Amino acid sequence: MKNTCFLAALALGAAACQSSGAPTAEAARAAVRHYLQSQPNAALYVPDSASVVEVATHWQVLVPRTDWARRMPSRAAFAVDKQSGVVSTRAVK
């Protein structure tokens, strides 16, 4: 079952393996942490320092990057759908 979820996530380009969604900020932070572990540049992110903001039907998670120190923006943005738990990247302005 886990491999099926992983393959579905690869096909969608998002982390879609969380069937219970992300009803809380901690669940959203965990979903982004899980998503980042699958990225080739995962070591550049600092998920323990992520900030989470509730935005209507999703969570916005801002994760600092070590290679973006002393520059603006210094964080990568992700959106986590509350219902499905799907993680998607967002542009940072």
Side-chain angles (χ1 to χ4, degrees):
M1 178 74 175
K2 200 173 220 181
N3 288 339
T4 305
C5 284
F6 180 72
L7 293 175
L10 287 176
L12 294 173
C17 291
Q18 295 197 2
S19 61
S20 62
T24 66
E26 269 313 307
R29 186 177 280 123
V32 169
R33 185 177 297 120
H34 178 72
Y35 173 79
L36 290 175
Q37 288 174 349
S38 68
Q39 300 301 304
N41 58 351
L44 298 177
Y45 294 94
V46 187
D48 293 338
S49 298
S51 60
V52 182
V53 177
E54 186 173 7
V55 183
T57 61
H58 67 277
W59 299 98
Q60 180 177 341
V61 182
L62 299 173
V63 183
R65 285 184 54 136
T66 58
D67 60 335
W68 291 357
R70 295 188 187 97
R71 107 172 198 175
M72 293 303 286
S74 61
R75 297 171 179 246
F78 301 91
V80 181
D81 187 86
K82 288 181 182 180
Q83 292 282 4
S84 65
V86 172
V87 176
S88 58
T89 59
R90 297 285 189 202
V92 181
K93 296 179 181 182

